[in-house]
Each structure stands twice: as C-alpha cells, then as structure tokens.
Amino acid sequence: MLTIEGSASLNLVKEQIDESLSIAESNLEQFVEEPENEARLKAAIEQFALIKGVFKLINLPGSAILSEELELLGHKILAHHDKNNEPELAAISNAIMVLVHYLEYVEVKKQALPVLLIPTINEVRFFLNRPMITESVFFDLGENPPRPSKGAAAAPDMEQLQTSGRRLRHMYQVGLLGILRNESVSANAKMMSRAVSRIDALTGNAPISKLWWLTLAVLEAIGKEAVELNVARKSLLGLVDRQIKNVIHLGESALNKEPPKPTVQECVYIASLAGPVGDHLKEVMDLFKLETGGLTDANLRQEQEILRGPGGTVIRSVAEALTEELNHIKDSLDLGARGASTDDEGFESIAEAMRKVGNTLIMLGLSKAAGLFKEKADIVRNWKAEDVDAESDEFNRVADALLYVENSVATLSPRRGPDSSLYSSKAEEAMSDGISVTQLDDARRVVVGEARAGLSLAKRAITSFMDSNWDGMHLNNVPVTLKSVWGGLLFLQLHRAAAVVEACEAFIENQLIRDRSAPPTTALMETLADAITSVDYFLEGMEDDKPIGEGIMEVAEESMQELGYPVKAA
C-alpha cells in the first residue's frame, strides 16, 4: 500500500544527482557568504529544478516533492532578498543533507520509503507558509467501504447522547491531554477508547459512526504501542475531539455526515502500520484488505533511525552496560572487604572501574553522581585488603555512593522530558535514606497490582450481574473486594481514588444489593463501570511509572455524581 519503488532506476543516475546536490550546496554556501550575489542562489535553484524532473522520471515521489519545495523556497528567498533569510537558508542546507542521506539509504537498502522524507518536507513547507502534508500522503486507500453494520435496530439514542455526551467528551479530553503530554499513553488510550465506544454505541448506525470505529482502531494501535505517538497522530486525535463536539452540539445534522476521506485514509494508514494486534485493528484490516506482511510502524522507526542516527535506544544500551559494570564493582568490593579478592592490584582496578563509570555518567548528564563516584574512587584506590573494615563508616559511605549511582542509572530508562526531575529526586532521597529506588518501586507496584486485581474482580462481577439479568448473587463479594482496594489506596495515600472506590462500594451495597425494587438500567451500570475503570486507568499509570494525572479522577467523580453518590475532591 505504501510507495516502495524507484530504487533500481536510481543506480543509473545516482552519480549525476550527487553532483547536482553538491553544486547546489556549494552555490548555497557561497550565497550565504556573498548575499548580494544572487547568481549563486539561482544556480542552486536550477539544480533543484533539474533533479526534481529526474526524481519524477525514476519514480521517487518523496524526493521529487522535497526538490520542488526547495525550488520554491529558493524563489521566495530571491523575492525577499532584503529580509533576514538565515532560517530559510538553514532549512535548505539541512534538506540537502537529508536528501543525500536518503539517496544513500535507497541505494543500500534497495527500497524507497518516501514517508521518511515527510518531516523534512514539512520543515521546508513551514517556511513557505504552506499546509503540512500528512504522513499518509503516499498511502493508497483504495476503496472506501462503509463500516460493518451494528444491526438494523441500531438507531441513535439522542436523548442519552445529550445526557452523557459532555461527560464522555470530558473523559476523552482528559485522556487526550495525557496523550499530548506523552504521559501514560497506554492508560490514556484505553480511557479514550472507552469514551469513544460509549459514544459509538449511542450513535447507532449513523454515517459518522465510521469515524468512531476507525478511531477505536487508532487508539488500540497507540495503546498497544504498535505505532509511535507523533505530532500527526496527536493532531488526528484532536480532530476526533472536534467531531465529538459537533455531534453533541449539532445533533442529527452532524450524525449524518460521512467522515472526510483524508481522515479515513489517515486512520487506515495507521492501522496498516500497526498490524492486526487487536480486535478493532483486525476489523479494519479485513474491511480495507490491508496486507499483514507489509511495512510496520516498528520497521519504519528502525529505518528512520538508520537515516537520522542513534536515538534513545543508545542511552538505554549505555544504561544496561553501566548496570552490569556497577554489579561487577559491587561484587569486587564485597570480595575485597572479605579478603577474598584475587586481584593482585588490590583495590586499584576497582577504583579505575569507578572512575570510568564516573566519566560515562558525565556524558549522560549525571554530573553530581559522577563527581560523587570519582571522589569515592580516590578513597577506594588507597585501600589495602588487610585494612578494610566492611562495618566502618568509610566503607558504608562508599556503599551509599554506589547505591546513589545505581539509582541514578536506573532513572535513565523511564526518564521522559519534564518528568526527569521526578526521578532525580528519587535518587536524592535514596542517598539520604539508604534505600533502593528499584526496591521502592517494586514494593509500590505490588500494592498497585493487588488493587488493580481487586478492581478487575469487581468489574467481572458487575459484568456477570448484567449478563445474568440482574442476578444479585454475583455482587455479594464485591463490597468486600472494593473495601480491600480502598485500604490499599489509602496505604498508597491516593485519597481521591480511595474516595471514589468507597462511593462505588456504597452505591453497589445500597442500590444493587439491598434495594432490588427495580432493575438498574444499562446506562446506569455503564456509568458505574466508568468510575471503576477510571480508577483502574489511574493505577495502571502508576504501575508503569507513567502517572496519568489527576484529570482522570475528575471523570470518576463526575460519574459518581451522575449516580447520585457525589465524591468530595481531596
């Protein structure tokens, strides 16, 4: 479905294209030095026009588009020669470098993936004030069939949509906010999926429901980390939010609109990259007859890494190597303290290993840990096997420093953007308390895991209650289960979540077990499930050390408010 061709023809003209790019780059550099010499820029523009035609001839569409954008940007610089054009010239220079690397990639890999050039194309288009092209621009959608039908009786429930629509949109927006911040992506995607599923159920077989169906596939791909969460995909999720708003405010007129074909193409493209890793994705792939053995998003990211150079995986690899080295140092210190070392150099080799680790820590930006470790390395260097006392204050200070460095290295893998300070503070606390960040996290995850297991049991019991035509026997153990979850949440000092669980327990005890005068409605049970699931998503973020934020608690509290059991925010 993606354009993958042109690699064979490139070999015939590669030498000439390289020469044209070299000429363009040389003229551009001279124009930067001599801005009054417009002939240099015109010469570079001519080369862009020349290779654009060659790329079209040998069917390298991404390269052709980029060359055309460079030609247009060159003409814009000529037309506004009196202005500061340094950013535009830098963009052209960068694009030439990317194009050179891309052509080398095509030549070596024997495949042309024009999608790899989209970020660079959009960078140039930004300076041209032209709209960004989508990542699915090289994707062939083929036919655009309607979504699978839900059944003839699936009519829109406008009354319930008006009642619950704003809350469901809020649930979607809370998850979207976390997605935009790259926080606990899996849990936020699940929360958004739940909101969209509820909206889809209330929408019936209306034409706009196709968008909800495709969105569920996209969220499934994002939640399962089958695709990378980039700017284009975040923008797509924002577009869905606007469509939800239209449905809530405009009613039937919005329901009866088909989703735009470019939006459908974008969703199907993401599904093609994710593969059939979930039920929704399988449905989309079957309907649009997508190839399961094609290019995946993981493959695409690997190719981008080849084109751009090493990324975060390098840091993780270094962290793993440092962990192994620290374990070796710990073992050596232990043996040395017990006089069992076979090292003829005494503690000299241990000190040298500590200094090497310190130098690596500096490269990783952990300067405080590096300085501390080097300081202790100088102390260890002067130790003699017969004089070392494993119970002494000096030896314990070295052990504390080792624990601090170990904690600092452990923060490298989960560190993401602005949250990095959180993990640095953990290492600081561990230094003063003499405990391990890893062990603390493990203990916390045990409690969180038990709480999630309890919520899972409660959800299954509620589902059985609904499926059995409201047989209250299925709910008998739910209050006890939720009470244990409440205790675990209090232990973790998660007071808002604990208050929601307590309200859920009271609702189930009073409304579903004791009072059986009238069976509950499906909408009421779904709202209860929203509250419990919101707490579960919150805990999932904690379990993965990717906090989802307090916004999800607002959704849970709104659900309980709707049920008549308001929760006072902590």
Side-chain angles (χ1 to χ4, degrees):
M1 303 295 278
L2 287 168
T3 305
I4 307 178
E5 49 189 335
S7 56
S9 303
L10 176 63
N11 295 331
L12 301 175
V13 293
K14 174 75 162 51
E15 198 171 310
Q16 289 76 12
I17 293 174
D18 285 343
E19 183 178 354
S20 292
L21 288 171
S22 178
I23 292 171
E25 186 175 28
S26 175
N27 279 285
L28 192 68
E29 289 174 353
Q30 293 183 52
F31 175 73
V32 172
E33 295 176 0
E34 306 170 17
E36 68 283 354
N37 191 352
E38 294 184 358
R40 293 297 185 184
L41 182 56
K42 289 179 180 178
I45 294 173
E46 289 175 3
Q47 296 302 319
F48 296 143
L50 174 64
I51 61 175
K52 175 186 69 177
V54 175
F55 286 138
K56 288 181 178 179
L57 183 64
I58 64 175
N59 198 18
L60 287 175
S63 303
I65 292 175
L66 180 56
S67 301
E68 183 175 8
E69 302 295 345
L70 291 175
E71 181 186 0
L72 293 172
L73 186 54
H75 283 301
K76 180 182 179 182
I77 294 173
L78 279 177
H80 302 85
H81 195 188
D82 55 327
K83 295 183 179 180
N84 178 20
N85 293 305
E86 287 185 11
E88 289 85 349
L89 291 168
I92 293 178
S93 179
N94 177 67
I96 292 174
M97 179 187 68
V98 171
L99 193 51
V100 169
H101 290 170
Y102 174 74
L103 295 176
E104 291 174 353
Y105 166 88
V106 174
E107 187 179 37
V108 172
K109 300 286 286 186
K110 307 300 180 187
Q111 65 176 3
L113 294 177
V115 68
L116 297 177
L117 291 175
I118 287 179
T120 307
I121 292 172
N122 281 335
E123 181 183 352
V124 178
R125 289 175 73 93
F126 170 80
F127 290 107
L128 288 166
N129 295 319
R130 301 184 70 186
M132 303 293 102
I133 63 174
T134 64
E135 58 179 347
S136 63
V137 68
F138 300 111
F139 178 76
D140 180 16
L141 178 63
E143 296 182 4
N144 186 13
R147 68 166 286 179
S149 176
K150 305 176 190 175
D157 187 348
M158 291 304 303
E159 182 180 351
Q160 188 61 42
L161 191 58
Q162 291 297 320
T163 302
S164 302
R166 286 177 173 81
R167 177 175 58 79
L168 293 174
R169 185 187 177 210
H170 186 200
M171 181 189 297
Y172 182 92
Q173 289 177 323
V174 169
L176 179 60
L177 182 61
I179 291 282
L180 295 177
R181 294 173 174 171
N182 292 323
E183 296 173 350
S184 195
V185 170
S186 178
N188 277 309
K190 288 180 181 178
M191 177 169 56
M192 294 167 71
S193 294
R194 180 167 184 82
V196 173
S197 295
R198 296 284 306 282
I199 293 171
D200 185 35
L202 297 173
T203 304
N205 276 323
I208 195 64
S209 70
K210 182 176 180 179
L211 177 60
W212 315 142
W213 178 67
L214 290 169
T215 302
L216 288 172
V218 171
L219 289 170
E220 190 171 63
I222 292 172
K224 291 181 178 293
E225 299 183 350
V227 296
E228 184 181 31
L229 188 60
N230 56 28
V231 174
R233 290 158 197 174
K234 291 178 181 178
S235 177
L236 176 64
L237 296 177
L239 182 148
V240 173
D241 175 57
R242 292 191 291 275
Q243 289 295 331
I244 295 174
K245 177 184 177 183
N246 289 340
V247 167
I248 294 172
H249 291 282
L250 301 180
E252 290 187 8
S253 61
L255 286 178
N256 294 323
K257 288 185 178 180
E258 289 279 350
K261 187 175 179 180
T263 303
V264 174
Q265 179 168 307
E266 192 78 1
C267 292
V268 177
Y269 167 75
I270 293 172
S272 74
L273 291 180
V277 296
D279 293 338
H280 294 294
L281 287 164
K282 288 176 184 175
E283 288 185 3
V284 172
M285 297 195 73
D286 289 342
L287 183 67
F288 287 89
K289 298 180 175 60
L290 302 179
E291 299 175 3
T292 56
L295 183 72
T296 67
D297 196 66
N299 298 145
L300 189 59
R301 290 200 298 270
Q302 290 176 359
E303 304 309 311
Q304 287 171 335
E305 287 296 322
I306 293 173
L307 195 64
R308 290 187 251 169
T313 53
V314 174
I315 294 180
R316 286 191 291 272
S317 298
V318 172
E320 290 174 3
L322 281 175
T323 300
E324 290 182 10
E325 186 64 27
L326 288 171
N327 287 335
H328 175 70
I329 291 172
K330 284 194 293 185
D331 292 341
S332 298
L333 280 173
D334 181 54
L335 289 171
R338 291 187 282 116
S341 175
T342 58
D343 188 355
D344 294 336
E345 299 178 1
F347 287 89
E348 180 71 27
S349 61
I350 300 176
E352 187 59 33
M354 291 173 68
R355 290 197 66 82
K356 287 181 179 178
V357 169
N359 291 332
T360 306
L361 292 173
I362 291 175
M363 294 172 59
L364 295 172
L366 301 174
S367 55
K368 183 173 182 178
L372 178 66
F373 216 42
K374 285 186 175 184
E375 176 188 325
K376 300 306 178 186
D378 293 336
I379 295 174
V380 171
R381 191 184 304 276
N382 296 323
W383 283 356
K384 301 297 180 183
E386 59 273 12
D387 299 329
V388 174
D389 180 7
E391 302 298 327
S392 67
D393 291 340
E394 186 177 65
F395 190 92
N396 286 328
R397 282 193 292 270
V398 172
D400 288 342
L402 184 59
L403 177 62
Y404 178 71
V405 171
E406 188 177 35
N407 286 335
S408 299
V409 172
T411 66
L412 289 174
S413 293
R415 182 166 53 191
R416 284 174 174 80
D419 291 336
S420 59
S421 60
L422 170 66
Y423 297 98
S424 298
S425 66
K426 285 185 178 182
E428 294 286 351
E429 292 171 5
M431 177 62 184
S432 59
D433 296 340
I435 54 180
S436 168
V437 168
T438 304
Q439 292 175 345
L440 278 176
D441 287 345
D442 288 344
R444 176 177 56 84
R445 287 193 180 96
V446 168
V447 179
V448 171
E450 289 297 323
R452 290 196 67 202
L455 292 176
S456 181
L457 284 173
K459 286 190 289 184
R460 286 201 297 270
I462 292 171
T463 301
S464 298
F465 174 64
M466 296 172 66
D467 293 342
S468 64
N469 195 25
W470 319 116
D471 184 352
M473 178 189 70
H474 295 286
L475 297 179
N476 288 340
N477 294 325
V478 172
V480 176
T481 301
L482 291 180
K483 180 66 75 174
S484 66
V485 173
W486 172 79
L489 295 176
L490 283 184
F491 178 79
L492 293 169
Q493 297 184 343
L494 302 175
H495 299 291
R496 287 185 75 175
V500 170
V501 170
E502 188 175 31
C504 290
E505 178 198 351
F507 175 83
I508 293 170
E509 182 74 38
N510 297 330
Q511 303 296 122
L512 302 181
I513 296 178
R514 293 180 182 173
D515 182 6
R516 302 192 182 182
S517 56
T521 64
T522 301
L524 181 142
M525 296 303 298
E526 289 286 359
T527 303
L528 173 63
D530 287 344
I532 296 176
T533 303
S534 296
V535 176
D536 188 38
Y537 290 155
F538 180 75
L539 293 177
E540 183 179 355
M542 289 191 61
E543 196 170 37
D544 296 337
D545 213 357
K546 304 172 189 176
I548 194 173
E550 292 291 325
I552 186 62
M553 285 296 98
E554 294 178 9
V555 174
E557 289 161 357
E558 287 174 2
S559 299
M560 296 313 299
Q561 177 79 29
E562 191 171 320
L563 291 174
Y565 282 72
V567 177
K568 184 178 179 181

